[in-house]
Amino acid sequence: MPSVNKIKLNICATDYVLTTDEPDSYMRELGGEVDHDMRVLLDSDPRISTTMAAVMTALTNADRARKAEAAADNLRSQMKGYLDDNAKARQEAENARREAAQLRRELEQLRGQAKR
């Protein structure tokens, strides 16, 4: 059973206490990224509120996550295609080896008959 950690993050001057089974260092890293992204937005336009910056950061991160998932799905699909192609090529190679062995046996038989 994973251990549950309580961690306090400070994002844009507000403390958040989270309960998670993720490592503290990972959560602090995520919190730092969110804090940075929100501060960049807040510094870019004085009319942007903390809530607006949070929503815009959440949308940006959701967009990144969705695009990353789509890219991962695409890579999985490509890998499956490569694995299928590899399996087909292996089967074809095995069939060719068998056929070559059969032809060698037939050739030896014919050579034996020709010597008689």
Side-chain angles (χ1 to χ4, degrees), residues 5-106:
N5 302 319
K6 276 194 175 185
I7 183 168
K8 183 168 96 172
L9 300 177
N10 186 288
I11 300 173
C12 290
T14 301
D15 289 332
Y16 298 92
V17 178
L18 306 173
T19 303
T20 180
D21 58 357
E22 298 292 344
D24 286 3
S25 59
Y26 177 72
M27 293 307 297
R28 290 189 193 287
E29 185 179 334
L30 289 180
E33 288 175 17
V34 170
D35 181 66
H36 174 266
D37 292 349
M38 287 179 62
R39 288 183 187 277
V40 166
L41 289 169
L42 290 167
D43 291 344
S44 71
D45 187 342
R47 295 171 295 168
I48 296 177
S49 68
T50 303
T51 302
M52 289 169 65
V55 169
M56 290 167 51
T57 298
L59 287 171
T60 299
N61 288 335
D63 178 54
R64 286 183 193 148
R66 184 170 287 180
K67 287 177 180 172
E69 186 63 35
D73 287 344
N74 184 38
L75 287 173
R76 279 190 283 275
S77 176
Q78 286 180 6
M79 285 179 60
K80 183 183 180 319
Y82 296 147
L83 291 172
D84 290 346
D85 290 348
N86 182 282
K88 182 179 177 185
R90 283 177 182 248
Q91 185 62 48
E92 289 172 356
E94 181 59 30
N95 292 343
R97 279 191 289 278
R98 286 185 190 137
E99 184 177 351
Q102 178 63 31
L103 291 171
R104 278 193 295 277
R105 286 190 296 272
E106 290 175 13

